[in-house]
Amino acid sequence: MNRIGESITLTLFGASHDSRIGCVIDGIPPGYPVNVESITADLELRKPSAGIGTPRVEADVPEISGIVDGITTGCPVVITFSNSNTRSSDYEQLRRIPRPGHADYPAVSKFGPAHDIRGGGMFSGRMTTPLVAAGALLRDLIGSLGISVGSYVTRIGSVVDTNTYDPADVLTRSRTNPLRAMSSGIEDRMRAEILVAKSDGDSVGGIVRCFATGLPAGLGEPFFDTLDGEISKAVFAIPGVKAIGFGEGFAAAGLRGSENNDAYRIQNGSVVTLTNHAGGVLGGMSSGAVLDFSVAFKPTPSIAKQQMSVDLLTREDAELSVKGRHDPCIANRGAIVVEAMTVFTLADLALRGGFLV
Amino acid sequence: MNRIGESITLTLFGASHDSRIGCVIDGIPPGYPVNVESITADLELRKPSAGIGTPRVEADVPEISGIVDGITTGCPVVITFSNSNTRSSDYEQLRRIPRPGHADYPAVSKFGPAHDIRGGGMFSGRMTTPLVAAGALLRDLIGSLGISVGSYVTRIGSVVDTNTYDPADVLTRSRTNPLRAMSSGIEDRMRAEILVAKSDGDSVGGIVRCFATGLPAGLGEPFFDTLDGEISKAVFAIPGVKAIGFGEGFAAAGLRGSENNDAYRIQNGSVVTLTNHAGGVLGGMSSGAVLDFSVAFKPTPSIAKQQMSVDLLTREDAELSVKGRHDPCIANRGAIVVEAMTVFTLADLALRGGFLV
């Protein structure tokens, strides 16, 4: 369904070429501040970067209701955006000839001829705009617990950032970098990787690493509504996500328990771990350490190169070169969307667990 | 919470050292066959293997109610198991001195002194017994759509199986191998890897690859209740899971769109893909190709080696060597649990999507 969450729910509506898209956020406790500037700032991080993004540019000015004098009232908050820069004619043939790697074929199989094919309909990356606004709006809520969420891009195609960074540094520094890289040197290499793919009529994938600092221990509702499970469900809703791993992730499979376990120590009267191979999650709950997970985005499926497809009407093989306007890489724009879904999930779990009232 | 699912719900109850553990499965349509032999067969695959598993052996005989003459009636189905082989005295000190890498510390932080510490309480791998029974019970339901679910172990510690297998072959062959490996040669190397770790008082992790064949296109309920997201949430509830990836998973980040996209062709009048880099998921829905994902299990946190921990009562550093009875590796026993959570999720999504009535 188009709703996620339990104590706080997020309902998404609209489609890529609808007149409006938006979301309803219900269950926010009354009395929390909402900073429209921080919503705008997060939306800026989702916009296509000069030279490497889609030529489709939208103003992305949020219209917000349910807030009085910058304070939540307990009412549902509604955030909408107008779509003005659409070219629906680019898409009609995709109903017959589905794009490889895109949602077209399963969507037409599921929804039939009524499926909104324009711009990918509800499966468009455009739908992540309200998600980013919702996440930004809830940052103050989890901020009241001392929780901050940030991310950076660790990989674009063959360019891999293997450096180690202080999570607190990531929270601020990667926001000033257009590609969400942690240094201008790596940014330059990542930009080149994207531009070479673009000039080939192709695309590249990437990896986003997300941190949340300041979590109390015990966030998450086992057995099934775990911290890692709820974040994963929320993150897999983001178009293009193919994998998620917490802490060591897949690499944990190659470790011994004595290497992977994080030793506890008392520091200044508090329980800390000397390492964080667990990524801040134990038994489906926050351990009190920094939440640390990585998310893989596939290369954008819409590419100019000719691809093999089928004509669903004549049931014959067909060829396709995708028109329309697309990003040659979505991982860097996806970073703020990963943050948004993480903020949302942490806010919902904080309310469910009685950490917020 | 201890309930998962929407059209079919699975509610889990009990704890590792409770007298009974079990689950309630609600929403199964009436008239479907339930094969107790196949439940027993799946439970056998969860039992510790000779020589490499925990010394704790339970009979694991399911008591099932809500079934008449082997047919579901529409009533909730309840499956319970008795716990008879428990040694709770092994665990009391863990309330004060939490095991590194285990749920002890976040659980005590969240639930306080009332937390059931015996055998890990509700965070024990023992809780996966009812999950396996529930999955086995629902195999006939999705089998009526032609869907089959199977898995095998691709990695234990440093032993990696890089071979490619036909999914149909995996569905049958890995069930006959005690380590869920695809060949006796690899099984021998994996067993040796586990036994060496065990003799060191240590443990190792592993990776399980899961297939589902026969899925119709369009299973999954975007925007948020996606096929990949719902499977991930269900799989992260399994103790010890740290990562999941669909198709190419994290490797998709290093590919070009032209490499990662799966070309469509018409074969015998049907739409097929020539490759399956997407792992059978596009836009949060099944593509009609084989569902293919991998799951990483961390090395078992309970190890005999001395580890650094803390005394939560005195707030001082402490040392710990875990007593009790544990597996030096859980990935091979975890494979059937991954299958169970996958079967459950597919059954729930099939009902939600109108594929089953």
Side-chain angles (χ1 to χ4, degrees):
Chain A
M1 294 299 289
N2 293 293
R3 196 180 76 165
I4 191 169
E6 194 171 297
S7 288
I8 299 182
T9 62
L10 171 61
T11 306
L12 188 68
F13 57 81
S16 184
H17 288 198
D18 261 351
S19 61
R20 296 192 84 74
I21 55 175
C23 64
V24 181
I25 313 156
D26 202 359
I28 306 176
Y32 280 92
V34 170
N35 188 334
V36 176
E37 284 71 36
S38 68
I39 296 176
T40 305
D42 276 13
L43 287 168
E44 282 298 316
L45 296 180
R46 205 203 71 92
K47 285 189 179 173
S49 299
I52 55 167
T54 173
R56 176 178 173 183
V57 176
E58 296 277 3
D60 288 348
V61 177
E63 277 189 37
I64 307 175
S65 62
I67 308 285
V68 176
D69 295 336
I71 303 289
T72 60
T73 65
C75 283
V77 175
V78 184
I79 310 177
T80 66
F81 300 86
S82 66
N83 286 327
S84 52
N85 187 0
T86 57
R87 295 204 320 229
S88 301
S89 60
D90 287 341
Y91 293 89
E92 192 50 41
Q93 73 153 349
L94 304 177
R95 200 184 297 281
R96 280 182 62 171
I97 305 177
R99 288 168 290 185
H102 205 285
D104 299 337
Y105 174 65
V108 169
S109 301
K110 187 178 183 69
F111 299 114
H115 169 55
D116 180 3
I117 201 85
R118 304 165 305 160
M122 65 182 287
F123 300 97
S124 169
R126 176 90 188 122
M127 300 306 297
T128 61
T129 314
L131 301 185
V132 169
L137 186 141
L138 293 169
R139 281 188 194 270
D140 281 341
L141 189 68
I142 61 171
S144 68
L145 288 172
I147 302 174
S148 298
V149 174
S151 70
Y152 72 108
V153 172
T154 65
R155 176 171 192 169
I156 297 287
S158 66
V159 181
V160 182
D161 184 351
T162 56
N163 298 319
T164 304
Y165 301 102
D166 180 352
D169 197 18
V170 169
L171 264 47
T172 54
R173 185 141 60 103
S174 90
R175 290 182 67 91
T176 65
N177 185 296
L179 267 80
R180 310 301 309 275
M182 278 295 284
S183 79
S184 53
I186 293 166
E187 177 200 343
D188 290 344
R189 289 165 53 212
M190 288 179 170
R191 184 190 309 275
E193 183 87 354
I194 294 170
L195 289 175
V196 169
K198 184 183 177 184
S199 71
D200 292 343
D202 218 330
S203 63
V204 283
I207 296 178
V208 171
R209 185 174 182 178
C210 186
F211 289 120
T213 61
L215 270 72
L219 207 70
E221 299 296 314
F223 196 88
F224 294 115
D225 297 350
T226 59
L227 176 58
D228 35 1
E230 293 287 50
I231 286 178
S232 297
K233 174 176 168 169
V235 163
F236 273 108
I238 304 170
V241 167
K242 294 306 286 184
I244 189 168
F246 291 80
E248 291 287 340
F250 276 102
L255 296 178
R256 289 256 181 123
S258 56
E259 298 167 319
N260 188 62
N261 286 348
D262 300 305
Y264 290 114
R265 294 282 89 173
I266 297 285
Q267 278 181 8
N268 303 320
S270 295
V271 177
V272 300
T273 58
L274 295 182
T275 52
N276 191 18
H277 301 291
V281 189
L282 293 174
M285 298 167 289
S286 56
S287 68
V290 172
L291 180 67
D292 173 9
F293 64 92
S294 292
V295 175
F297 283 87
K298 69 181 181 184
T300 329
S302 297
I303 55 176
K305 274 195 173 181
Q306 184 161 299
Q307 297 178 83
M308 288 189 276
S309 185
V310 293
D311 187 320
L312 294 174
L313 199 64
T314 63
R315 309 300 282 184
E316 289 171 343
D317 290 343
E319 308 300 310
L320 177 77
S321 169
V322 178
K323 308 284 189 277
R325 298 167 296 171
H326 306 282
D327 293 87
C329 182
I330 51 166
N332 51 312
R333 295 179 64 194
I336 191 67
V337 191
V338 171
E339 290 183 37
M341 296 314 293
T342 304
V343 169
F344 171 79
T345 305
L346 294 178
D348 182 30
L349 287 175
L351 262 180
R352 282 196 238 176
F355 294 91
L356 279 170
V357 284
Chain B
M1 294 298 288
N2 293 293
R3 197 181 73 167
I4 191 169
E6 194 169 297
S7 287
I8 299 183
T9 62
L10 171 62
T11 307
L12 188 67
F13 57 81
S16 184
H17 289 198
D18 262 352
S19 60
R20 296 191 84 75
I21 55 175
C23 64
V24 181
I25 313 157
D26 202 359
I28 307 176
Y32 280 92
V34 170
N35 187 334
V36 175
E37 283 72 36
S38 68
I39 297 177
T40 306
D42 276 13
L43 287 168
E44 282 298 316
L45 295 180
R46 205 203 72 92
K47 285 190 179 173
S49 299
I52 56 168
T54 172
R56 176 178 174 185
V57 176
E58 294 278 3
D60 288 348
V61 177
E63 277 188 35
I64 308 175
S65 61
I67 308 285
V68 176
D69 295 335
I71 304 289
T72 60
T73 65
C75 283
V77 174
V78 184
I79 310 177
T80 66
F81 300 86
S82 66
N83 286 328
S84 52
N85 187 359
T86 58
R87 293 204 320 227
S88 301
S89 60
D90 288 341
Y91 293 89
E92 193 49 41
Q93 73 153 350
L94 305 177
R95 199 185 299 279
R96 279 182 64 170
I97 306 178
R99 288 168 290 184
H102 205 284
D104 299 337
Y105 175 64
V108 168
S109 300
K110 186 177 184 70
F111 300 112
H115 169 55
D116 180 3
I117 201 85
R118 304 166 305 159
M122 65 183 287
F123 300 97
S124 168
R126 176 91 187 120
M127 299 307 295
T128 61
T129 314
L131 302 184
V132 169
L137 186 142
L138 293 169
R139 281 188 194 268
D140 282 340
L141 190 67
I142 62 170
S144 68
L145 289 172
I147 302 174
S148 298
V149 174
S151 69
Y152 71 107
V153 172
T154 65
R155 177 172 191 167
I156 297 289
S158 66
V159 181
V160 181
D161 184 351
T162 56
N163 297 318
T164 303
Y165 301 102
D166 179 353
D169 195 19
V170 169
L171 263 49
T172 53
R173 186 141 59 103
S174 91
R175 291 181 68 91
T176 64
N177 186 295
L179 267 80
R180 308 302 308 274
M182 278 296 283
S183 78
S184 52
I186 293 166
E187 176 201 342
D188 290 344
R189 289 166 53 213
M190 289 179 169
R191 174 178 281 114
E193 183 87 354
I194 294 171
L195 288 175
V196 169
K198 185 183 178 184
S199 70
D200 292 343
D202 217 331
S203 63
V204 284
I207 295 178
V208 171
R209 184 173 184 180
C210 185
F211 290 120
T213 61
L215 271 71
L219 207 71
E221 299 295 314
F223 196 87
F224 294 115
D225 296 351
T226 60
L227 175 58
D228 33 2
E230 293 287 50
I231 286 177
S232 296
K233 175 175 167 171
V235 162
F236 273 109
I238 304 170
V241 167
K242 295 306 285 186
I244 188 168
F246 291 80
E248 290 288 339
F250 276 103
L255 295 178
R256 290 260 182 118
S258 57
E259 298 167 318
N260 189 62
N261 286 348
D262 299 305
Y264 291 114
R265 294 281 90 172
I266 297 284
Q267 278 180 8
N268 302 320
S270 295
V271 177
V272 300
T273 57
L274 295 181
T275 52
N276 191 18
H277 301 292
V281 189
L282 293 173
M285 297 166 288
S286 56
S287 69
V290 171
L291 180 67
D292 173 9
F293 64 94
S294 291
V295 174
F297 283 85
K298 69 181 181 184
T300 328
S302 297
I303 55 176
K305 274 195 172 181
Q306 184 162 299
Q307 298 179 82
M308 288 190 277
S309 184
V310 292
D311 187 319
L312 294 173
L313 198 65
T314 63
R315 309 300 283 185
E316 289 171 341
D317 289 344
E319 309 300 310
L320 178 76
S321 168
V322 178
K323 307 284 189 278
R325 299 166 297 170
H326 307 281
D327 293 87
C329 182
I330 51 166
N332 52 312
R333 296 179 63 194
I336 191 68
V337 191
V338 171
E339 291 182 37
M341 296 314 293
T342 304
V343 168
F344 172 79
T345 305
L346 294 177
D348 183 30
L349 287 175
L351 261 181
R352 284 197 238 175
F355 294 90
L356 278 171
V357 285

